[in-house]
Amino acid sequence: MIELLVVVAVIAILAALLLPALSKAHAAARRINCISNLKQISAVVLMYANDHNQRLPKCAGSKGLKGCVVSNTPASSRDQLFACPADTFHHDTNDAYVPSGQHERAWSGFSSYSFNGANLVMKSAGVEYPDKLLGVADEPSTSIKEPSRTVLATETAARIGYSWHQPRKVESVNFRFNNARCVASFVDGHVKYIKFYYDETQAKGPESWWYDPPDGYEYRWSAR
């Protein structure tokens, strides 16, 4: 009996040691899947530009992303290419926590990803353009100032200021936070998991993609 208890105790200890490692491996696998998805989506977006005199698509936000890639095709929850497996929760228009993936919602076009079209969103909202054009929608890719640093598309959480890979407690009122890590693709075609800046004073706008980050970050939203 004692030997059996010892074996059970050893198994429990091993399980306790292995579970964190398995959890990290699972999180890494989901992140790799998200990176692969966004790389494929971005490749098609850049192919679109090549076929349209180097001009990037005229689409904004998450709902239009699939339209940038596959025109005249209704969005569907079955399109797994647009579903990041880490996207297991989101926040609605009232900032309330919703325990289901954004890609499960029709309003998002069944997509976890957003195109960097802040310029179109700001224009439709009646916001005056800053000196630097935020967003790349309908812009010639050849006119982008820093293609290796300029965002083409991201996980939607990045432009809002949180991370599916670093979930906060459900009860947290301020779910946005600085240095949230998300996957992003760039105008030069590469994809990376990076930190995103969030201005906690919200002095420049309510979402992260309405302003470029300070020095020290690996990206910019502005086209020029």
Side-chain angles (χ1 to χ4, degrees):
M1 187 66 179
I2 294 175
E3 291 179 353
L4 180 60
L5 290 175
V6 170
V7 170
V8 170
V10 170
I11 291 174
I13 293 170
L14 290 174
L17 293 172
L18 288 173
L19 281 176
L22 290 173
S23 179
K24 288 182 180 179
H26 184 55
R30 290 188 299 184
R31 187 163 60 248
I32 290 169
N33 192 314
C34 292
I35 290 172
S36 176
N37 287 353
L38 195 52
K39 192 171 186 65
Q40 293 177 68
I41 292 168
S42 299
V44 178
V45 171
L46 294 172
M47 286 173 62
Y48 171 95
N50 289 336
D51 292 338
H52 292 80
N53 297 317
Q54 305 305 316
R55 189 170 290 276
L56 292 166
K58 188 176 182 179
C59 61
S62 58
K63 193 168 184 178
L65 183 57
K66 185 179 178 184
C68 295
V69 180
V70 185
S71 60
N72 301 319
T73 303
S76 169
S77 59
R78 294 189 298 273
D79 295 328
Q80 292 304 303
L81 177 63
F82 293 87
C84 172
D87 173 14
T88 57
F89 67 94
H90 67 283
H91 296 270
D92 64 18
T93 54
N94 296 316
D95 288 351
Y97 176 90
V98 181
S100 60
Q102 174 189 291
H103 68 275
E104 299 175 52
R105 304 290 175 169
W107 57 259
S108 72
F110 300 106
S111 175
S112 301
Y113 309 100
S114 288
F115 187 68
N116 180 16
N119 48 329
L120 297 187
V121 173
M122 294 172 78
K123 184 177 181 180
S124 65
V127 179
E128 292 186 8
Y129 282 63
D131 292 336
K132 293 188 297 183
L133 177 65
L134 290 165
V136 299
D138 202 31
E139 285 291 301
S141 59
T142 51
S143 72
I144 306 300
K145 185 177 180 180
E146 297 182 74
S148 65
R149 294 187 66 242
T150 303
V151 172
L152 182 69
T154 63
E155 295 172 326
T156 300
R159 69 178 177 86
I160 298 174
Y162 69 104
S163 172
W164 290 319
H165 307 278
Q166 299 168 292
R168 289 291 181 97
K169 292 181 179 179
V170 174
E171 61 267 22
S172 175
V173 175
N174 184 14
F175 63 91
R176 298 181 177 92
F177 60 100
N178 189 33
N179 291 332
R181 283 186 173 271
C182 298
V183 176
S185 67
F186 297 83
V187 176
D188 71 343
H190 83 279
V191 180
K192 200 169 183 180
Y193 179 61
I194 60 172
K195 293 178 181 179
F196 279 84
Y197 175 71
Y198 174 67
D199 181 359
E200 294 183 356
T201 68
Q202 298 189 30
K204 300 178 183 177
E207 297 185 351
S208 298
W209 68 332
W210 283 42
Y211 41 83
D212 276 333
D215 293 341
Y217 287 81
E218 300 180 65
Y219 73 97
R220 53 185 283 156
W221 298 106
S222 54
R224 52 181 182 268

